[in-house]
């Protein structure tokens, strides 16, 4: 038999290669930071829960609604008008010569007359043909209006109508009682005459003289163009 020679070589069992995955240092650092962040968040949440359990609940009182500023408007004190129960009669187609004096004398036969007015022109002061008569009592005014309506007076039919208290106002008797001697046109005329006859200032007088000289010189030029040689010389020329 053939005998196999033993070899001095010893068989080594196959070594298991440990596969090790080398990790980069950056990946390890990222994992550590993420884990630390998670742990910190957990700690913060636990602290909040502990504080919430310890703090007593405060009942929030309802907020008061904003009160808008109320602007107080001052009410004007209206003085009560003294309304007298008096009767007013409207008169139309009043003839010439039948004025305030004649009307008061004529209508006193019906009762007591308190006020009389003939509506007059602002410029001339003459009667405009209508007016108003006020009596003390409205019953008397009604009787006067009924009797004097369509009454023939100096060739005219007088128109008289009773004005009820609902339609009465103070405008019927507003203004001054004008006459043929005293009326607005005469008053304004007297004011103007006083201003003209009064003292004139030196500046206004000088400006007036200059304007008149300019006008006269312009007139001289126009006359020369048409063949007329004329020189206007002022009588009292201030040197």
């Amino acid at each position: 038999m053939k005998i196999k020679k033993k070899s001095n070589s010893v068989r080594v069992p196959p070594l298991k290669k440990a596969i090790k995955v080398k990790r980069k240092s950056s990946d390890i650092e990222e994992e550590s930071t993420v884990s630390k962040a998670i742990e910190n968040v957990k700690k913060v949440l636990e602290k909040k829960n502990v504080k919430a359990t310890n703090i007593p609940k405060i009942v929030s009182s309802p907020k008061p609604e904003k009160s808008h500023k109320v602007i107080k408007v001052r009410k004007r004190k209206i003085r009560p008008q003294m309304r007298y129960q008096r009767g007013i009669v409207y008169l139309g187609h009043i003839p010439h010569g039948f004025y305030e004096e004649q009307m008061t004398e004529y209508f006193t036969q019906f009762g007591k007359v308190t006020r009389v007015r003939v509506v007059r022109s602002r410029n001339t002061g003459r009667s405009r043909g209508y007016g108003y008569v006020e009596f003390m009592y409205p019953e008397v005014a009604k009787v006067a209006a009924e009797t004097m309506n369509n009454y023939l007076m100096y060739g005219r039919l007088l128109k008289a109508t009773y004005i009820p208290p609902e339609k009465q106002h103070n405008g019927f008797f507003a203004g001054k009682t004008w006459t043929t001697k005293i009326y607005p046109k005469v008053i304004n005329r007297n004011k103007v005459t006083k201003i003209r006859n009064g003292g004139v200032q030196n500046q206004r007088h000088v400006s007036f003289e200059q304007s008149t000289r300019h006008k006269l010189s312009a007139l001289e030029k126009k006359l020369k163009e048409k063949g007329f040689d004329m020189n206007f010389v002022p009588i009292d020329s201030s040197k």
Side-chain angles (χ1 to χ4, degrees):
M1 290 188 66
K2 293 180 179 180
I3 297 167
K4 291 182 180 179
K5 291 180 180 180
K6 292 181 180 180
S7 61
N8 294 324
S9 61
V10 180
R11 289 183 180 179
V12 180
L15 296 171
K16 292 180 180 180
K17 293 181 180 179
I19 300 166
K20 290 182 180 181
V21 179
K22 290 183 180 180
R23 291 182 179 180
K24 294 180 181 179
S25 62
S26 62
D27 294 335
I28 294 163
E29 288 176 357
E30 285 179 0
E31 286 181 359
S32 63
T33 52
V34 170
S35 61
K36 285 179 181 179
I38 291 163
E39 287 178 358
N40 291 326
V41 170
K42 286 179 179 179
K43 288 178 181 179
V44 170
L45 291 171
E46 287 175 357
K47 287 179 181 179
K48 284 184 178 180
N49 290 325
V50 171
K51 287 180 181 179
T53 53
N54 293 327
I55 296 166
K57 290 182 180 180
I58 298 166
V59 179
S60 62
S61 60
K63 292 181 179 180
E65 295 181 355
K66 290 182 179 179
S67 61
H68 297 285
K69 290 182 179 180
V70 179
I71 299 166
K72 292 183 179 181
V73 180
R74 291 182 180 179
K75 293 182 180 180
R76 292 181 179 178
K77 292 182 180 180
I78 299 167
R79 293 179 180 178
Q81 293 181 355
M82 298 296 289
R83 291 184 180 179
Y84 302 101
Q85 291 182 355
R86 293 181 181 177
I88 298 171
V89 178
Y90 165 80
L91 293 174
H93 295 180
I94 296 171
H96 179 68
F98 192 62
Y99 300 136
E100 287 89 355
E101 293 178 0
Q102 290 80 17
M103 286 168 70
T104 50
E105 289 178 0
Y106 187 82
F107 282 102
T108 48
Q109 61 182 335
F110 296 101
K112 189 176 181 179
V113 177
T114 54
R115 288 187 291 181
V116 175
R117 187 196 172 198
V118 176
V119 180
R120 295 178 179 273
S121 175
R122 290 183 179 179
N123 295 324
T124 59
R126 293 180 181 177
S127 174
R128 297 181 68 180
Y130 67 97
Y132 303 95
V133 182
E134 187 185 60
F135 292 93
M136 180 67 77
Y137 303 104
E139 293 83 7
V140 176
K142 288 178 183 178
V143 172
E146 289 175 1
T147 54
M148 293 302 295
N149 192 21
N150 292 324
Y151 184 77
L152 186 63
M153 184 182 285
Y154 296 105
R156 284 191 176 186
L157 287 173
L158 193 71
K159 298 292 179 181
T161 54
Y162 172 72
I163 298 170
E166 297 86 19
K167 295 181 180 180
Q168 293 178 9
H169 56 82
N170 293 325
F172 293 141
F173 299 95
K176 296 178 181 179
T177 55
W178 300 334
T179 61
T180 54
K181 293 181 180 180
I182 299 167
Y183 55 92
K185 196 171 183 180
V186 173
I187 295 162
N188 293 325
R189 192 185 296 160
N190 292 327
K191 286 180 182 178
V192 171
T193 51
K194 282 180 181 179
I195 291 163
R196 287 179 179 175
N197 293 327
V200 181
Q201 294 179 359
N202 292 325
Q203 292 180 356
R204 291 183 70 183
H205 184 67
V206 170
S207 63
F208 175 72
E209 282 185 352
Q210 288 177 357
S211 63
T212 49
R213 283 175 182 175
H214 286 302
K215 288 177 184 178
L216 291 170
S217 63
L219 216 165
E220 285 176 358
K221 288 179 182 178
K222 287 181 181 179
L223 290 170
K224 282 179 181 179
E225 288 176 359
K226 292 181 179 180
F228 297 99
D229 291 330
M230 294 181 71
N231 293 320
F232 296 101
V233 180
I235 296 167
D236 293 325
S237 61
S238 61
K239 293 180 181 181

